[in-house]
């Protein structure tokens, strides 16, 4: 489960089963918006060290990024991501990096909301992955958006349009495979059937899973809030149904993660595991 420290932790930390992994958000959702692009920062009074001390199993950071943004903005974003990677390594906690392309301030599609940019170019998404897959950032898992807008993605049916779309996903898969970085898909709030289509393309390119929120729970909230009893009932029925379908698709088509250190049967002499870990 992915928790933020502002609301989710105080509301639900005591309800989380110990067997369930806890990913903790580090970045402030309010960014510095400039004409040249967006600058990210960590939540005030929050850190990798605190996440580790609380028992977090991984640190999640969203970095808004465009390769064509102002050079000074991109240098800020790269430094932001790199320094967190160094902290994660220092505290021995996995680093989950989420990348999102965004519309520039003043552009037709500009919004500060956490939504998919309908006019994004696949090259911007792919080049962003290419940059942050570099070892210097210390990323352990990439949480990525679809290189093509979910609402305009064709069915994966072998058509010319589908083959062209698959090439964009394959470009991401090639980068992650070369760097040995597993990757999962974010939902961006897409409708469940649209997100399943995204996953179908991504899994064919080597993605391992998904890290989704609104695709699973938003419909229940929009239809029923502020009736919390109705929200809860809808989540247990419809939200859980969406999650089960996504899990079934992932089990069937996702690429399993494999540890990069030897298992017991590979150990030939004392010290083999320590050297490889």
């Amino acid at each position: 489960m992915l928790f933020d420290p502002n609301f989710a932790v105080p509301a639900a930390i005591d309800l989380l089963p110990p067997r369930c992994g806890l990913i903790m958000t580090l970045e402030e959702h309010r960014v510095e918006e400039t004409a040249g692009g967006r600058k990210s920062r960590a939540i005030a009074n929050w850190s990798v060290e605190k996440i580790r001390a609380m028992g977090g199993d991984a640190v999640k950071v969203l970095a808004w990024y465009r390769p064509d943004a102002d050079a000074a903005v991109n240098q800020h974003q790269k430094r932001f991501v790199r320094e967190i990677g160094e902290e994660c390594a220092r505290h021995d906690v996995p680093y989950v990096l989420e990348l999102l392309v965004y519309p520039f301030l003043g552009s037709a599609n500009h919004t500060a909301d956490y939504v998919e940019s309908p006019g994004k170019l696949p090259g911007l998404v792919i080049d962003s992955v290419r940059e942050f897959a570099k070892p210097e950032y210390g990323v352990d898992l990439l949480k990525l958006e679809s290189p093509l807008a979910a609402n305009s993605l064709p069915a994966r049916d072998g058509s010319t349009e589908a083959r062209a779309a698959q090439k964009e996903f394959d470009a991401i898969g090639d980068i992650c495979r070369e760097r040995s970085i597993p990757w999962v898909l974010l939902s961006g709030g897409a409708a469940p059937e649209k997100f399943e289509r995204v996953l179908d393309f991504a899994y064919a390119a080597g993605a391992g899973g998904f890290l989704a929120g609104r695709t699973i729970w938003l419909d229940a909230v929009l239809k029923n809030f502020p009736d919390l009893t109705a929200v809860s009932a809808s989540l247990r029925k419809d939200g859980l149904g969406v999650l089960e379908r996504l899990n079934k698709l992932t089990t069937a088509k996702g690429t399993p993660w494999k540890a990069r250190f030897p298992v017991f049967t590979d150990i030939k002499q004392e010290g083999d595991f320590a050297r490889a870990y």
Side-chain angles (χ1 to χ4, degrees), residues 71-90:
V73 169
N74 281 347
Q75 286 303 315
H76 175 278
Q77 293 300 86
K78 291 175 183 178
R79 183 171 60 252
F80 172 72
V81 172
R82 186 185 304 110
E83 290 177 352
I84 294 170
E86 293 168 353
E87 283 294 295
C88 287
R90 185 173 298 115

Side-chain angles (χ1 to χ4, degrees), residues 59-155:
V59 173
K60 191 278 294 186
V61 172
L62 162 60
W64 297 96
Y65 189 79
R66 305 184 49 129
D68 58 346
D70 182 80
V73 169
N74 281 347
Q75 286 303 315
H76 175 278
Q77 293 300 86
K78 291 175 183 178
R79 183 171 60 252
F80 172 72
V81 172
R82 186 185 304 110
E83 290 177 352
I84 294 170
E86 293 168 353
E87 283 294 295
C88 287
R90 185 173 298 115
H91 292 284
D92 192 27
V93 59
Y95 185 11
V96 181
L97 178 64
E98 176 179 8
L99 294 173
L100 279 179
V101 172
Y102 59 93
F104 283 125
L105 187 67
S107 67
N109 294 317
H110 178 265
T111 175
D113 293 333
Y114 181 49
V115 295
E116 183 176 57
S117 178
K120 66 183 175 183
L121 300 175
L124 296 179
V125 177
I126 295 166
D127 287 344
S128 298
V129 175
R130 182 174 290 109
E131 173 62 35
F132 291 102
K134 295 177 180 177
E136 65 191 79
Y137 296 103
V139 175
D140 295 295
L141 174 68
L142 282 166
K143 177 186 176 185
L144 303 176
E145 64 179 321
S146 168
L148 297 164
N151 285 335
S152 60
L153 197 62

Side-chain angles (χ1 to χ4, degrees), residues 39-245:
K39 294 182 178 180
S40 301
R41 64 181 185 273
I43 295 170
N45 303 312
W46 195 236
S47 65
V48 172
E49 183 177 15
K50 287 187 176 182
I51 289 174
R52 192 55 162 159
M54 181 172 281
D57 297 292
V59 173
K60 191 278 294 186
V61 172
L62 162 60
W64 297 96
Y65 189 79
R66 305 184 49 129
D68 58 346
D70 182 80
V73 169
N74 281 347
Q75 286 303 315
H76 175 278
Q77 293 300 86
K78 291 175 183 178
R79 183 171 60 252
F80 172 72
V81 172
R82 186 185 304 110
E83 290 177 352
I84 294 170
E86 293 168 353
E87 283 294 295
C88 287
R90 185 173 298 115
H91 292 284
D92 192 27
V93 59
Y95 185 11
V96 181
L97 178 64
E98 176 179 8
L99 294 173
L100 279 179
V101 172
Y102 59 93
F104 283 125
L105 187 67
S107 67
N109 294 317
H110 178 265
T111 175
D113 293 333
Y114 181 49
V115 295
E116 183 176 57
S117 178
K120 66 183 175 183
L121 300 175
L124 296 179
V125 177
I126 295 166
D127 287 344
S128 298
V129 175
R130 182 174 290 109
E131 173 62 35
F132 291 102
K134 295 177 180 177
E136 65 191 79
Y137 296 103
V139 175
D140 295 295
L141 174 68
L142 282 166
K143 177 186 176 185
L144 303 176
E145 64 179 321
S146 168
L148 297 164
N151 285 335
S152 60
L153 197 62
R156 191 169 174 271
D157 56 7
S159 65
T160 300
E161 294 79 7
R163 291 196 301 271
Q166 188 64 60
K167 288 182 179 179
E168 309 294 359
F169 285 88
D170 288 347
I172 293 174
D174 290 343
I175 294 168
C176 294
R177 192 176 302 109
E178 180 183 353
R179 296 294 186 180
S180 297
I181 297 179
W183 55 296
V184 298
L185 273 292
L186 61 90
S187 68
E193 64 275 8
K194 298 292 186 181
F195 187 48
E196 288 178 34
R197 184 170 290 186
V198 169
L199 291 179
D200 204 21
F201 280 93
Y203 289 159
F210 62 91
L211 214 172
R214 286 169 294 165
T215 289
I216 297 168
W217 56 256
L218 183 59
D219 196 51
V221 174
L222 291 178
K223 288 182 177 179
N224 299 290
F225 188 81
D227 184 342
L228 299 185
T229 299
V231 170
S232 181
S234 181
L235 287 173
R236 294 177 193 277
K237 179 183 177 183
D238 302 320
L240 186 58
V242 171
L243 182 59
E244 289 174 342
R245 291 200 306 275

Side-chain angles (χ1 to χ4, degrees), residues 1-5 8-9 12-16 22-26:
M1 293 292 289
L2 173 59
F3 279 18
D4 77 279
V9 168
I13 192 67
D14 291 335
L15 303 176
L16 189 70
L22 175 60
I23 306 172
M24 297 288 290
T25 298
L26 180 63

